[in-house]
């Protein structure tokens, strides 16, 4: 059981304040949906929670420790692994799908043997019905497959925090169903998830909490069944 | 905003950019020394960069070297009609080809081929969230993207400079033999009598410094791209201008220093 919180986060982008003194606790082991109008700062918020953006003020605390202190050893020491699923997959264009997935494994699992990594990648791709794409480049894949591979890459490192940016946008219905089923399983395993989505569509039954943002601030955080917008 | 305000704002921006660039340089240099730790994940990038930057440029560098060597000897023959007996011609050949052009021409070729490719590739990676994806996996973009490109540029430009040197001097000898009836053996003896260890050392030093400048400037501009695809060609053109300026500056600086010895 962990405790994750953003404490007085302020972030500037091009001299504009995009996150304004944001403080919030992310419920551990639950799925939190982040919503808000365009330019409300939700993308900046999840990227800051993932350590991709460094706030000009404030900290991300994991069990009371500043987890993104500029030293990767801090995350390793506290067994904190955060994965991010990008809207466009975020796969490296000049690597094959195998190389993309292998990069994540090589970086996180130093002691894992080569054949174990190959087997793990093959197992994941088979599980998501994508065995034929292993040697393809991201540009050869459909949007659905890009998102699925991005999702696989995020899961492969066995994260304690999974952050997703618009996981279903532009996806076909069967892919949405498949990803929803997987997210449901992760929720059952009590994985902490933070998801940005434009609407509550698809998340009505699985979101535990909803955070609503406006003008770089969190204006509301509530249990999903208590949130007016969810009804 | 009045003119004073505009000048003030511009000055602050320029100072900010210079400071940021030096911080970037220091971080790249620091990461070069710890590259061995990241070789497991960055070896593929390093190999591909050496292949593209070094090996794939061989044909163009060969062509350039052959043309330069031939042209210098043909022009020299007009100035020194008795080329075989002119010691000065060989001094000029070594000074111009080995000390200057053997680094400068390959550097310009690599700016055009690889420097532009680096800026464009890294810029597109920023726009496509690929750099963010690396950060999200705790992979430093400096150590994974910039350092392998910098090392590959050094490992490409130094051999290409030496190769350009050999091709140019060989071309000068061949042209002397067939068009000016100068014996190739005599040509080689006189040429090597003019070539010193210092010439080769300066040549290598220039290649190393040019390689660092080109790679770091190109990568810096690539990673500086923010959100828009339209920034990519703008930044690429800036990277080319800045790389050429840096190479010319280093060329002059090292030449001035080397002339003291």
């Amino acid at each position: 059981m962990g405790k994750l919180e953003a404490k007085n986060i302020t972030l500037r982008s091009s001299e504009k304040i995009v996150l304004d003194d944001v403080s919030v606790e992310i419920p551990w082991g639950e799925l939190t949906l982040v919503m808000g109008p365009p330019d409300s700062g939700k993308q900046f918020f999840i990227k800051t929670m993932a350590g991709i953006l460094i706030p000009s003020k404030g900290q991300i605390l994991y069990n009371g420790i500043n987890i993104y202190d500029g030293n990767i050893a801090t995350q390793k020491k506290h067994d904190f692994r955060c994965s991010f699923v990008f809207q466009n997959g975020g796969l490296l264009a000049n690597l094959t799908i195998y190389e993309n997935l292998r990069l994540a494994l090589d970086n996180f699992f130093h002691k894992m043997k080569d054949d174990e990594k190959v087997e793990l990648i093959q197992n994941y791709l088979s599980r998501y019905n994508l065995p034929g794409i292993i040697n393809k480049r991201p540009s050869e894949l459909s949007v659905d497959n890009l998102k699925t591979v991005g999702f696989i890459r995020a899961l492969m490192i066995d994260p304690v925090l999974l952050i997703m940016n618009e996981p279903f946008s532009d996806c076909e219905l069967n892919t949405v169903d498949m990803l929803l089923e997987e997210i449901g399983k992760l929720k059952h395993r009590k994985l902490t998830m933070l998801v940005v989505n434009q609407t509550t569509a698809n998340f009505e039954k699985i979101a535990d909490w909803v955070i609503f943002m406006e003008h770089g601030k969190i204006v509301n955080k509530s249990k999903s069944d208590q949130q007016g917008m969810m009804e | 905003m009045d003119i004073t305000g505009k000048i003030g704002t511009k000055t602050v921006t320029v100072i900010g950019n210079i400071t940021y660039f030096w911080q970037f340089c220091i971080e790249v240099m620091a990461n070069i020394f710890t590259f061995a730790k990241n070789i497991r994940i960055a070896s593929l990038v390093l190999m591909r960069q050496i292949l593209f930057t070094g090996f794939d440029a061989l044909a163009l560098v060969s062509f350039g070297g052959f043309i330069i060597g031939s042209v210098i000897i043909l022009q020299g023959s007009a100035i020194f009609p008795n080329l075989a007996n002119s010691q000065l011609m060989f001094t000029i050949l070594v000074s111009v080809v080995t000390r200057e052009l053997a680094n400068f021409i390959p550097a310009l070729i690599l700016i055009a081929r690889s420097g532009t490719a680096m800026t464009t590739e890294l810029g597109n990676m920023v726009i496509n969230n690929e750099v963010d994806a690396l950060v999200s996996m705790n992979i430093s973009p400096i150590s994974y993207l910039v350092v392998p490109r910098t090392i590959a540029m050094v490992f490409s430009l130094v051999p290409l400079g030496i190769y350009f040197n050999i091709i140019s001097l060989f071309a000068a000898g061949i042209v002397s033999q067939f068009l000016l009836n100068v014996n190739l053996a005599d040509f080689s003896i006189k040429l090597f009598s003019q070539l010193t260890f210092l010439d080769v050392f300066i040549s290598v030093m220039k290649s190393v410094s040019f390689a660092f400048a080109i790679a770091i400037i190109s990568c810096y501009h690539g990673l500086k791209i923010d959100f828009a695809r339209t920034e990519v060609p703008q930044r690429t053109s800036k990277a080319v201008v800045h790389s050429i300026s840096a190479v010319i500056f280093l060329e002059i600086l090292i030449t001035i220093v080397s002339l003291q010895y």
Side-chain angles (χ1 to χ4, degrees):
Chain A
M1 195 71 179
K3 186 182 178 190
L4 182 70
E5 58 181 322
K7 197 173 178 190
N8 306 114
I9 295 294
T10 299
L11 180 75
R12 290 172 187 272
S13 175
S14 307
E15 299 304 312
K16 187 184 156 197
I17 292 176
V18 290
L19 288 179
D20 189 4
D21 200 29
V22 172
S23 292
V24 66
E25 185 180 337
I26 306 300
W28 198 251
E30 296 188 284
L31 193 153
T32 306
L33 188 62
V34 183
M35 294 175 59
D39 292 331
S40 57
K42 53 190 189 296
Q43 308 279 348
F44 289 108
F45 175 65
I46 56 164
K47 283 189 174 180
T48 308
M49 292 303 294
I52 296 170
L53 299 174
I54 307 297
S56 40
K57 210 184 92 188
Q59 294 175 334
I60 307 298
L61 302 175
Y62 175 63
N63 290 336
I65 288 155
N66 179 15
I67 204 69
Y68 302 124
D69 62 354
N71 187 359
I72 291 167
T74 308
Q75 292 174 53
K76 284 183 182 165
K77 188 180 166 190
H78 294 91
D79 214 14
F80 180 84
R81 283 187 303 279
C82 171
S83 275
F84 197 102
V85 181
F86 290 85
Q87 194 173 357
N88 64 353
L91 302 175
L92 274 67
N94 59 358
L95 299 183
T96 62
I97 298 308
Y98 170 77
E99 288 164 346
N100 264 288
L101 298 176
R102 181 66 195 255
L103 180 65
L105 289 180
D106 282 344
N107 193 48
F108 281 97
F109 302 115
H110 300 178
K111 289 178 186 167
M112 191 186 272
K113 289 178 186 163
D114 279 1
D115 50 352
E116 287 174 348
K117 288 176 185 169
V118 174
E119 196 184 336
L120 186 64
I121 291 169
Q122 285 171 339
N123 286 347
Y124 262 104
L125 290 175
S126 299
R127 189 169 129 197
Y128 290 90
N129 299 319
L130 299 170
I133 64 159
I134 193 159
N135 291 317
K136 288 188 175 176
R137 300 227 173 211
S139 59
E140 297 174 83
L141 302 190
S142 65
V143 175
D144 292 52
N145 287 352
L146 280 176
K147 290 213 176 205
T148 310
V149 176
F151 188 72
I152 291 172
R153 182 178 65 181
L155 287 190
M156 275 176 54
I157 65 159
D158 195 19
V160 295
L161 171 65
L162 179 63
I163 300 179
M164 292 179 267
N165 186 12
E166 311 255 0
F168 308 131
S169 63
D170 303 325
C171 276
E172 289 180 14
L173 273 177
N174 53 350
T175 307
V176 174
D177 290 343
M178 189 258 293
L179 290 174
L180 267 174
E181 194 184 327
E182 291 301 321
I183 292 169
K185 286 178 192 169
L186 296 171
K187 186 173 147 58
H188 190 68
R189 277 170 41 197
K190 298 281 179 197
L191 177 67
T192 308
M193 288 180 273
L194 194 58
V195 185
V196 159
N197 215 38
Q198 289 287 355
T199 65
T200 55
N202 301 310
F203 283 98
E204 297 93 339
K205 290 178 184 169
I206 56 172
D208 297 302
W209 292 83
V210 176
I211 286 174
F212 198 84
M213 294 190 71
E214 253 180 27
H215 308 300
K217 286 177 180 283
I218 290 176
V219 291
N220 189 17
K221 178 192 165 192
S222 55
K223 273 277 192 188
S224 65
D225 53 356
Q226 297 161 4
Q227 174 77 10
M229 289 192 67
M230 297 291 286
E231 290 165 3
Chain B
M1 193 186 292
D2 64 358
I3 187 82
T4 323
K6 281 181 183 170
I7 292 169
T9 309
K10 186 76 183 166
T11 309
V12 169
T13 310
V14 169
I15 292 170
N17 285 342
I18 291 170
T19 312
Y20 186 75
F21 176 72
W22 280 113
Q23 284 172 345
F24 182 79
C25 291
I26 291 164
E27 200 168 337
V28 173
M29 299 311 278
N31 275 276
I32 283 175
F33 293 110
T34 55
F35 183 66
K37 280 186 194 169
N38 300 314
I39 193 82
R40 191 182 64 259
I41 58 165
S43 57
L44 187 65
V45 184
L46 180 65
M47 289 303 151
R48 284 180 179 170
Q49 287 299 319
I50 290 176
L51 186 69
F52 174 71
T53 307
F55 189 75
D56 289 356
L58 274 177
L60 196 54
V61 170
S62 306
F63 179 71
F66 196 87
I67 296 291
I68 292 288
S70 309
V71 166
I72 288 177
I73 210 72
L74 286 171
Q75 291 286 353
S77 69
I79 303 165
F80 306 104
N82 191 5
L83 185 71
N85 296 320
S86 169
Q87 204 66 24
L88 188 60
M89 181 64 220
F90 293 97
T91 309
I92 291 171
L93 202 58
V94 168
S95 299
V96 172
V97 173
T98 306
R99 282 199 175 202
E100 308 299 334
L101 298 182
N103 323 287
F104 194 68
I105 303 288
L108 292 184
I109 290 171
L110 291 200
I111 288 171
R113 278 189 87 253
S114 308
T116 52
M118 284 178 191
T119 311
T120 311
E121 187 185 8
L122 296 191
N124 283 322
M125 286 181 82
V126 173
I127 291 164
N128 293 332
N129 288 325
E130 293 172 46
V131 174
D132 281 353
L134 287 173
V135 178
S136 78
M137 290 189 282
N138 280 344
I139 298 173
S140 155
I142 301 280
S143 64
Y144 182 74
L145 298 174
V146 182
V147 171
R149 281 166 174 78
T150 308
I151 293 173
M153 186 63 89
V154 174
F155 279 110
S156 300
L157 192 50
V158 173
L160 281 177
I162 294 168
Y163 177 73
F164 182 95
N165 208 353
I166 293 167
I167 293 285
S168 287
L169 297 177
F170 179 72
I174 293 290
V175 170
S176 306
Q177 163 112 17
F178 290 105
L179 297 181
L180 308 170
N181 294 321
V182 177
N183 183 278
L184 189 59
D186 287 347
F187 180 91
S188 303
I189 290 165
K190 284 181 177 164
L191 181 71
F192 282 109
S193 72
Q194 293 298 313
L195 197 64
T196 63
F197 173 75
L198 187 65
D199 295 320
V200 179
F201 179 74
I202 289 164
S203 182
V204 171
M205 281 298 103
K206 280 187 180 176
S207 291
V208 171
S209 56
F210 291 173
F212 272 107
I214 296 166
I216 291 176
I217 291 171
S218 303
C219 292
Y220 169 79
H221 281 288
L223 292 176
K224 208 58 169 83
I225 289 166
D226 240 350
F227 304 110
R229 283 194 192 281
T230 47
E231 271 188 79
V232 177
Q234 291 167 357
R235 277 281 168 190
T236 306
S237 121
K238 270 189 186 176
V240 169
V241 172
H242 291 172
S243 296
I244 291 175
S245 308
V247 165
I248 291 171
F249 173 77
L250 288 168
E251 169 75 46
I252 294 168
L253 186 72
I254 296 172
T255 302
I256 290 170
V257 172
S258 68
L259 287 176
Q260 311 300 315
Y261 299 97

